[in-house]
Amino acid sequence: MHGDTGRRRMLKAAGALAAGAGLTGIAGCSGSGAAGSGGGEPGDRDRGDVTVWSWQGPAAELKALVPEFNKRHPGIRVTVEDIGNPAIWSKITTAMAAGGQGLADVLHIGVDYLPGYVEKFPEGLADLAPLGATAYKDAFAQGLWQTVSPDGKRVNAIPWEANSAGFYYRADLFEKAGVDVDSLATWDETIEAGRRLKARTGAHLLGIDKPASQADAANFFQMLLQLQGAFYFDLDGAITLDSPAAVTAMTLIKTMNDAGLVSDLAGGWNALMSSLKHGTAAVLPWPTWFGGVIEEQLPDEAGKWAVRLPPAVRRGGPTAATVNSTHLAVSGSSRHQAAAWTFVEYALTRPASQVRIYRAKGIAPALMKAYDDPVFHQPSAFFGGRRKGEIFLEALKAPQSAVNYTADYGRALKLVTDAQSKVLLKGADPARVLRDAADTLARQTGRKVKR
């Protein structure tokens, strides 16, 4: 079901680090006036040639929607191009820096890139509000509309995919250790269970890329942050890298590591896949989509695995967090913005379209009405009969605040991964390294640190 694992890991991994630095670099040399100058037109809602840029699996699924779309809208000719990931980010950035020259009409954009494009190229994306997008502001998982429409007026994109934090685990190993995983309410309790697990089975609790050989080395730290309703920046863009929530998250990671419960995933994706196949770690705290990777990589381990939402950081706290998402936007330079919007609306606001995409590629929709379909409520034989779709639906229904990545997410991510490596490899104090990281980010960006 998940044939495009490369796309998904790239979404938060190799491409993420370039998000801030790449956009900042190109924007800085684009000159005034050229960057994101827009110049597009609404055009005819039912007529026009529309080009769509996406990558791998999502591109294939958008192409699959075109024949049925054309029956309803024969006057619109849609061409979907698989640009590849991360190649799409530099292609979009270069075109925006050239005033939108050569930019596709519809752009598939990751949540970590969207704020950077909006901040560096104010006219680079069309405002979808005048085209009718505001009619759907209550249709998506909580927090996502504020992500695409921070001021509540302008709409920069429409949510597509929403991945919630997950807790995939080897049920057989925990059973051997005598641990009831469903009873683990907090990460503190999970660490204690991890000690027992390691003693009785030899398996680590989880794995982290300790030297930060890949940009996604901070995924687990970021998840712990979001489970506390925090992030690297607040909604006003102030730096919160050393907030109490951040120190708590990094301290939990240090405690796990000091107890010998963290395996080293240096080497990124290949190391993760090797660890998965060798059963090095009993828990994979990865998002919704990762379940398909486990099934794909370990078909003979059906029934040994289970899934739940992650434990809370503090007792009684949240267990739900939307840790990554993707969106479709319309370029500001498009001469067929209305027709482009017609396709975006068809693909992302119709439950039938989203269900079809989920059935083919397992892309979890942000559109809540899509979850009325039975496909999301079926028990999974691989995951011990757990209704995986319902588990993650519970997370999407939970109250969640918007996450502000800003245009400086790439810089923040680099500093966070460096700080984490100091903690994991040198035993550094979490509060001190995070404070240093926050101060460095402030010097690099001119943003204020919120303390």
Side-chain angles (χ1 to χ4, degrees), residues 363-393:
I363 297 176
L367 183 69
M368 297 305 289
K369 190 67 177 173
Y371 290 90
D372 290 347
D373 192 272
V375 71
F376 296 100
H377 304 275
Q378 297 167 353
S380 166
F382 188 93
F383 292 104
R386 299 286 177 110
R387 299 179 187 272
K388 185 159 63 85
E390 290 184 354
I391 290 171
F392 289 110
L393 174 58

Side-chain angles (χ1 to χ4, degrees), residues 4-50:
D4 63 329
T5 55
R7 175 199 71 89
R8 299 168 187 278
R9 67 183 169 92
M10 284 296 187
L11 174 64
K12 298 299 294 178
L17 187 57
L23 284 173
T24 301
I26 289 179
C29 66
S30 62
S32 60
S37 59
E41 302 170 358
D44 189 333
R45 178 184 172 91
D46 294 308
R47 189 170 301 280
D49 291 347
V50 172

Side-chain angles (χ1 to χ4, degrees), residues 156-288:
N156 299 309
I158 297 296
W160 178 358
E161 178 179 14
N163 285 300
S164 299
F167 189 95
Y168 294 97
Y169 64 95
R170 280 282 298 274
D172 59 330
L173 293 181
F174 277 102
E175 186 176 351
K176 185 177 180 181
V179 175
D180 176 10
V181 178
D182 287 331
S183 71
L184 301 177
T186 66
W187 278 100
D188 286 329
E189 291 179 2
T190 304
I191 291 171
E192 290 308 307
R195 296 178 196 272
R196 187 170 179 177
L197 176 86
K198 181 78 179 295
R200 296 197 177 186
T201 71
H204 293 85
L205 180 62
L206 50 82
I208 296 175
D209 180 354
K210 295 183 182 183
S213 61
Q214 302 290 327
D216 64 344
N219 276 1
F220 181 55
F221 170 75
Q222 194 164 300
M223 184 194 82
L224 292 175
L225 264 186
Q226 289 187 244
L227 287 173
Q228 301 174 80
F231 199 62
Y232 302 156
F233 308 92
D234 66 13
L235 294 182
D236 294 322
I239 297 166
T240 53
L241 284 188
D242 64 340
S243 66
V247 174
T248 295
M250 195 65 81
T251 301
L252 281 171
I253 290 173
K254 185 177 190 301
T255 301
M256 294 178 200
N257 190 60
D258 290 350
L261 305 182
V262 181
S263 66
D264 191 354
L265 297 179
W269 186 257
N270 290 336
L272 175 60
M273 291 299 99
S274 177
S275 172
L276 180 63
K277 291 174 181 177
H278 289 94
T280 306
V283 172
L284 291 142
W286 281 71
T288 313

